[in-house]
Each structure stands twice: as structure tokens, then as C-alpha cells.
Amino acid sequence: MIAVLVLCAMLAITLVVVSGRLACRYASATSADRKNAGTEMPFAKDPQATRTRNRKVAPAGNPGSWFATDDYPTAARRREEQGPVSVRLAIDARGRVADCVVLQSSGSPSLDAATCLIATRRARFYPATNGDGQPIASTYALPGVRWQLD
């Protein structure tokens, strides 16, 4: 998808969706473009996407960027608590976190709670879609936020 966008930008054309297919349309109005107005350059679609419009939920960005060193809970730092936390996030049809369940605890209630609080506030997703291409609620496993002191 990124390669398609870069190619479209390099050729001064616009990426559009035409009948459910990605295509590029000429953006400039040179004489050659006017002569070939509406000419499309279709791109191959993902083979699985042609069979179904179902899509799994996917993070919008890098999940690692949701957590920063400054997020370490003060009480946990004072008690020198550390460890990995794995959670399951319930994602609504808008791509927002609706709920968070700890699957693997770090052993520290404050680190577990901080993981859910931060994921709920900062995480954003491209929601899953059903066979009709409509966004639906789903879940996403965040497999290991490692809380570690230096």
C-alpha cells in the first residue's frame, strides 16, 4: 500500500478507489492527460481481499509508541516492580479500546493497571470489518508490555 502511494505521488497522480479497486488517476491536466482523461492504472489487489471483505483489526501505528519511560507508575518504581504484562483489548467499531483484560500479570497490580489505562487512552486501531466491509467490534491481543527499570 505504501509503495502504491509513493508511486502515485512520484507520477503526480491521485490514489482513488474505483469499484472497490485501487487505481491511480492523473492529477495534472497536461495535453496528454486531457486526451487520456479518466485513464486508470489498476493495481493488483490482495488475493484474500478479492475473496472476502473481512479484515482483521490492526493497530494504527506502532503499539510500542503508546508507552513511554515516563509512564512507569511512581509507586511501582519505588517498590522496584517490573515484569511483562499481556492484555486483550476489546476494540469497538470505531477503532477505540472499549475494554482491557489482563491475560498475563506482571505480578504488580499497578503495572497491570497502568498497561490497561495507557492502552485504553492511547491505542487506536483500524477496526475489523465483516463480509460486507462494515466495521465491527473485535479483540486484539497485546502480547507483552515489558515494564523494566534501568
Side-chain angles (χ1 to χ4, degrees):
M1 179 65 119
I2 292 173
V4 172
L5 293 173
V6 170
L7 177 62
C8 289
M10 288 173 45
L11 298 174
I13 50 184
T14 305
L15 183 68
V16 296
V17 177
V18 179
S19 299
R21 295 176 47 202
L22 286 179
C24 289
R25 290 198 186 262
Y26 292 104
S28 60
T30 65
S31 60
D33 291 340
R34 279 189 218 103
K35 188 165 72 171
N36 297 319
T39 301
E40 297 174 7
M41 296 184 299
F43 290 90
K45 290 171 56 177
D46 176 16
Q48 186 172 355
T50 53
R51 286 190 291 270
T52 178
R53 295 194 329 193
N54 289 347
R55 182 181 69 202
K56 291 183 180 181
V57 65
N62 178 3
S65 68
W66 300 335
F67 299 88
T69 306
D70 294 342
D71 293 328
Y72 216 105
T74 306
R77 186 182 299 274
R78 210 171 322 131
R79 292 188 298 266
E80 297 183 359
E81 297 173 339
Q82 359 183 40
V85 180
S86 293
V87 296
R88 181 178 57 237
L89 303 173
I91 311 302
D92 67 19
R94 296 175 304 139
R96 303 268 179 154
V97 177
D99 192 27
C100 177
V101 175
V102 175
L103 300 176
Q104 177 191 349
S105 174
S106 64
S108 165
S110 60
L111 294 178
D112 296 348
T115 301
C116 279
L117 180 67
I118 292 166
T120 301
R121 286 185 179 169
R122 298 183 188 157
R124 297 295 178 263
F125 292 85
Y126 298 109
T129 57
N130 62 17
D132 295 328
Q134 298 300 312
I136 58 171
S138 61
T139 60
Y140 179 82
L142 190 59
V145 176
R146 175 178 225 125
W147 294 95
Q148 185 174 351
L149 295 169
D150 296 326

